[in-house]
Amino acid sequence: MMTRQLATLLGAGFPLVSALDALIPQTRSKVFKKIMVQLKDAIVEGNSFAGALSQYPVVFSSLYTNMIRAGETSGTLEIVLAQLADITEKQQALKGRIRTALAYPILMLFVGALVLFLLLTFIVPTITSIFADMNQVLPAPTRFLIAVSGFLKSFWWVILVCIVLMLVGFRSAKKTTGGRYVIDRAMLLLPLMGPVIRKLSVARFARTLGSLLKNGVTMLTSMEIVKNIAGNALISRAIENATQEVSKGQGLGVSLGRADVFPELAIQMIQGGEQSGELEQMLDKMSVVYESEAEASIMSMTALLEPLMILCMGLIMGFIVLSICLPIFEMNQLVG
């Protein structure tokens, strides 16, 4: 919001310091308001806007700072700010649509797992306790249900500890270079989510690189920036290797194609943009294509996931009911 408003004020002829002065009172976050005051003071002291932003790398990414630097150098700061706002809004809108699509299946999975845990841990043992006094062999499904229920009732804390340890181990591995590479490589190999993750990373790469090149940032500098925002260590390494090839005079499409990570269509679109001299426009089109494909894939998966989860829950509940009813049927036959 700040970026969009700042672009509007600069486009209306406000000096940068005056524009920041006008935005500071409208900022609700106390922390961000303090940062904006410090930015204004740094500019008044003679620092560039990009130089002031670089003092807050946690708040303003390298992409943001480098695009601002390019805008200041070329005298098109208000245009660059508007494009930064567009990039951020589009990324947030895509994340919002994906979260909305995944919210219901994840909620169903969580609630279903919780209901099954409570059922097997507290309700089933109460019902199956009536079979303890029966002097006959229980059916195999009933014995299996009693064993699972007894394990959950006695060792539920072991499962909880294992889940916590797995989460802690995953987060610790994610923080190391080797661990993150292995995890990201495994993510790309997942049957359904792997292609979606690849498309989202390629779309982010294309949109960011196109915006940087469009605003006058050199190819090598742009590549150094986008390798850190790809969101996947495998793709980041491919971009880093391609940067070295480009510095030696190779084409971007050929360099990225050697890693066998980017989709073939993406490589062809980049090569077509290089040959026609319209690489920036082709990268924008590429980002739109892969964002749309990723969103469509997620929608299709969620549409299939919901009935599949209902079916699985129905089968599990049916097994529980059948396991409880089988001994009762046998008791009725003996009484008869």
Side-chain angles (χ1 to χ4, degrees):
M1 189 181 297
M2 183 277 291
T3 305
R4 176 70 67 190
Q5 291 174 342
L6 190 59
T8 303
L9 290 174
L10 292 179
F14 278 66
L16 180 57
V17 174
S18 300
L20 288 172
D21 255 334
L23 292 178
I24 288 171
Q26 303 177 29
T27 307
R28 295 183 179 180
S29 169
K30 292 181 180 180
V31 176
F32 194 56
K33 180 182 288 189
K34 184 178 179 180
I35 291 174
M36 289 185 66
V37 171
Q38 292 169 349
L39 288 174
K40 186 199 74 171
D41 293 341
I43 294 170
V44 170
E45 291 171 2
N47 292 304
S48 66
F49 190 24
L53 292 172
S54 64
Q55 298 175 19
Y56 306 94
V58 176
V59 181
F60 302 99
S61 65
S62 60
L63 165 67
Y64 196 101
T65 303
N66 280 278
M67 285 189 67
I68 293 295
R69 182 175 289 110
E72 286 184 303
T73 304
S74 61
T76 58
L77 184 57
E78 67 277 7
I79 298 174
V80 170
L81 284 165
Q83 290 181 348
L84 271 172
D86 288 337
I87 291 172
T88 307
E89 288 169 357
K90 287 176 182 176
Q91 289 179 347
Q92 291 295 328
L94 180 62
K95 287 180 181 178
R97 291 195 297 270
I98 292 173
R99 286 173 182 168
T100 302
L102 294 176
Y104 180 64
I106 291 174
L107 179 63
M108 279 186 61
L109 180 63
F110 176 76
V111 173
L114 182 61
V115 168
L116 284 175
F117 175 77
L118 294 175
L119 187 66
L120 291 171
T121 307
F122 299 104
I123 299 176
V124 169
T126 304
I127 298 174
T128 55
S129 62
I130 63 175
F131 304 140
D133 298 330
M134 293 177 59
N135 294 322
Q136 64 178 36
V137 178
L138 295 174
T142 308
R143 295 199 303 271
F144 177 76
L145 179 65
I146 292 173
V148 172
S149 178
F151 176 81
L152 289 176
K153 188 174 181 179
S154 302
F155 300 103
W156 61 268
W157 58 272
V158 175
I159 299 174
L160 183 62
V161 169
C162 289
I163 293 173
V164 172
L165 290 175
M166 287 175 62
L167 291 175
V168 171
F170 180 82
R171 293 191 64 177
S172 300
K174 193 79 172 174
K175 292 178 181 178
T176 63
T177 304
R180 185 181 177 189
Y181 183 82
V182 171
I183 292 171
D184 287 349
R185 185 180 182 86
M187 294 292 286
L188 291 180
L189 295 175
L190 290 175
L192 295 176
M193 285 305 299
V196 174
I197 294 171
R198 189 189 303 269
K199 289 173 184 176
L200 287 174
S201 297
V202 171
R204 192 181 299 115
F205 159 82
R207 185 174 296 283
T208 307
L209 182 60
S211 297
L212 288 168
L213 294 176
K214 196 181 295 181
N215 288 284
V217 183
T218 63
M219 173 63 79
L220 292 178
T221 303
S222 300
M223 293 285 285
E224 287 292 335
I225 295 169
V226 296
K227 77 177 183 182
N228 298 318
I229 56 93
N232 185 279
L234 200 66
I235 294 177
S236 295
R237 183 174 294 185
I239 296 171
E240 185 176 4
N241 294 335
T243 304
Q244 297 175 2
E245 295 293 326
V246 171
S247 66
K248 297 175 183 177
Q250 293 289 336
L252 177 60
V254 174
S255 302
L256 290 173
R258 288 175 180 168
D260 198 25
V261 174
F262 281 71
E264 184 63 30
L265 175 61
I267 300 300
Q268 291 177 1
M269 291 182 74
I270 291 172
Q271 289 176 335
E274 287 179 307
Q275 292 171 3
S276 64
E278 297 181 351
L279 180 59
E280 297 88 346
Q281 292 83 348
M282 191 62 75
L283 287 167
D284 286 340
K285 292 178 182 177
M286 195 170 99
S287 67
V288 172
V289 167
Y290 282 103
E291 284 174 358
S292 301
E293 286 189 6
E295 189 175 353
S297 299
I298 290 172
M299 294 299 178
S300 300
M301 280 191 293
T302 52
L304 292 173
L305 191 60
E306 292 171 15
L308 184 62
M309 290 174 63
I310 294 172
L311 177 62
C312 291
M313 287 291 294
L315 290 173
I316 294 172
M317 294 300 295
F319 175 79
I320 293 173
V321 172
L322 180 65
S323 301
I324 293 172
C325 289
L326 278 176
I328 297 174
F329 293 154
E330 290 186 358
M331 289 172 61
N332 288 336
Q333 289 178 356
L334 290 173
V335 171

